[in-house]
Each structure stands twice: as C-alpha cells, then as structure tokens.
C-alpha cells in the first residue's frame, strides 16, 4: 500500500497478477524509500503540511551526529529482524540464508528498518534512504520526528518516495502518460522473469507458479 501523501513505485495486479501480489506479499520483500526531513519544527502529523506544534533550534546538529543516530536505529532493528525471523544464527541454514539475503520475518512483525543512510545534509534539510519491511509511510514520517527528538531538536518529514517495492523499481514504473494497453502489456512481460525468479527463490515455486498459468492462458 501507499498513502496519498507518498509518491513513487505502486504495484498493481491484473487478472492472475492479483494472485501474484499475494504471493509476493508472502515473500516479505524489502521496500526502499527516499525520505526528506526538515529540522526545526514539529507538527501534529509529522509532515511539513501538518499543524505546527513547536519550533526549535537546530544549529547544533551535524551530519556526524545524525549518522550516529542512524547507526543506533539500524543496530536496534537488526536485532529485531533476527528475533522475528526465528532463525538459530549458529546453524548452517542461517548462514546460507544470510548469504542469499533471505533473512527476513516470514510472518507478521512490527516495522523493521533493515538499512538506513544519509544521502545528503544541508541544515535545516536532510534526506535519508531507508530499507524496510512491514512499514507504513506514516511510520517513516514518525521516524523522522523521533530522529529530531534524539538530536535535541525537532523535525518534520517533507517527502516520502518509494523507489523500490520488492523486485520492482522506479525504472519499471509507468508514468501517467504511458497508461495505455500496449505499455501495460510490455511492463507485465518485462517484469515476468524477475517476479518468477523471486517466487522460486523465496517460496520454492516452480511449475505451479501463477506465472506459468498466465503463460498458458495467453498462449
């Protein structure tokens, strides 16, 4: 899902694609966002368009201080990731999953930040790249707010843009000017292989994959 204040990749299914969306959801794949922030004020909904709650100073904040907070966030979330993955990290299975990048909660969990870094910093503005699981965009806005508090200031979120949703990136997205039958068909075929590869890798699907059913229906 993606709320109305966010932008970027939004995946839709057509026909058997609706079943594929469920299958991909069960893979619990990482989403990636660029998130903009502005130090110096707080609002009631954590966004820059919300009702102003307070203004604060921010001159004491440096990029180094921000990156230290981000490192703490990532470290705390890595522990949560291992806990909700229910994997014994001393086993060969855990090692093989780690090598393949498949350590992830395969069930419900709170939002988990798997990676976060500062893309640019120019007071009072900053931009983060956030890799996450089971998030909402409002959760990311609140995260910006909490970063401001940790830095003894305040902050609002100015932008949430999803640049990757599992196997889909902004390069796969169709701008509004290409919302036509031919472009949609081309997009489906272009993404078919990587969707099938991910389902096979994560869920072990083969000939029973909905993509094979789609091939049969369209042959």
């Amino acid at each position: 899902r993606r709320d109305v204040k966010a932008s970027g990749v939004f995946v839709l299914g057509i026909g058997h694609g609706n079943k594929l969306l469920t299958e991909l959801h069960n893979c619990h794949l990482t989403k990636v966002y660029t998130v903009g922030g502005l130090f110096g004020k707080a609002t009631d909904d954590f966004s820059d368009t919300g009702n102003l709650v307070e203004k604060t100073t921010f001159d004491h904040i440096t990029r180094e201080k921000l990156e230290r907070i981000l490192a703490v966030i990532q470290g705390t979330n890595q522990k949560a990731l291992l806990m909700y993955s229910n994997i014994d990290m001393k086993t060969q299975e855990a090692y093989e999953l780690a090598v393949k990048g498949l350590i992830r909660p395969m069930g419900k969990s709170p939002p988990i930040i798997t990676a976060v870094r500062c893309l640019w910093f120019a007071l009072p503005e900053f931009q983060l790249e956030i890799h996450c699981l089971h998030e909402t965009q409002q959760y990311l806005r609140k995260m910006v707010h909490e970063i401001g508090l940790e830095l003894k200031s305040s902050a609002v979120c100015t932008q949430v843009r999803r640049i990757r949703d599992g196997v889909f990136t902004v390069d796969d997205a169709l701008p509004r000017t290409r919302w036509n039958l031919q472009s949609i068909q081309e997009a489906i075929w272009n993404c078919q292989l990587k969707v099938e590869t991910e389902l096979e890798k994560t869920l072990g699907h083969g000939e029973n994959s909905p993509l094979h059913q789609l091939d049969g229906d369209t042959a």
Side-chain angles (χ1 to χ4, degrees):
R1 296 181 179 180
R2 198 194 70 195
D3 66 35
V4 294
K5 292 183 179 180
S7 63
V9 178
F10 184 53
V11 183
L12 297 172
I14 299 174
H16 280 297
N18 290 303
K19 184 175 182 180
L20 281 174
L21 288 181
T22 301
E23 300 285 347
L24 287 171
H25 175 76
N26 292 336
C27 290
H28 301 277
L29 301 176
T30 299
K31 298 182 181 69
V32 183
Y33 294 83
T34 54
V35 177
L38 179 72
F39 289 118
K41 67 177 184 178
T43 63
D44 59 350
D45 66 356
F46 314 127
S47 77
D48 59 337
T49 58
N51 296 317
L52 184 65
V53 174
E54 67 172 347
K55 289 187 175 182
T56 55
T57 59
F58 53 82
D59 293 343
H60 61 284
I61 299 173
T62 64
R63 181 167 186 153
E64 289 72 23
K65 290 179 179 178
L66 171 60
E67 289 180 339
R68 282 200 293 269
I69 296 297
L70 299 183
V72 171
I73 292 172
Q74 183 165 320
T76 301
N77 278 265
Q78 285 294 331
K79 293 178 182 178
L81 176 62
L82 296 176
M83 181 178 69
Y84 284 100
S85 297
N86 293 321
I87 295 174
D88 183 354
M89 295 307 296
K90 297 179 181 178
T91 64
Q92 179 66 22
E93 176 193 14
Y95 172 78
E96 292 174 355
L97 289 172
V99 169
K100 296 177 182 178
L102 291 177
I103 292 182
R104 63 185 74 137
M106 297 307 286
K108 291 183 178 180
S109 79
I112 295 177
I113 306 300
T114 58
V116 57
R117 66 188 181 107
C118 180
L119 294 178
W120 59 264
F121 178 91
L123 281 178
E125 298 179 76
F126 62 98
Q127 186 180 60
L128 308 177
E129 181 181 276
I130 302 175
H131 299 234
C132 46
L133 296 160
H134 303 168
E135 81 299 333
T136 64
Q137 289 82 57
Q138 186 63 8
Y139 175 83
L140 300 179
R141 296 185 188 100
K142 185 178 180 182
M143 178 177 165
V144 169
H145 166 76
E146 291 175 344
I147 287 172
L149 296 179
E150 289 293 330
L151 290 167
K152 296 180 173 55
S153 181
S154 58
V156 292
C157 183
T158 58
Q159 180 195 53
V160 176
R161 183 170 186 255
R162 185 187 293 158
I163 60 174
R164 175 182 286 274
D165 186 341
V167 299
F168 302 100
T169 71
V170 289
D171 292 332
D172 300 312
L174 291 178
R176 190 181 295 270
T177 54
R178 294 186 60 203
W179 287 2
N180 56 70
L181 180 59
Q182 180 178 349
S183 295
I184 292 171
Q185 286 178 323
E186 290 175 355
I188 291 172
W189 291 116
N190 290 340
C191 292
Q192 181 171 330
L193 178 59
K194 60 182 177 181
V195 171
E196 186 172 21
T197 300
E198 184 60 51
L199 291 177
E200 172 65 24
K201 180 175 71 173
T202 305
L203 300 179
H205 286 179
E207 295 299 321
N208 293 324
S209 166
L211 282 167
H212 286 285
Q213 298 174 25
L214 182 61
D215 286 342
D217 289 348
T218 57

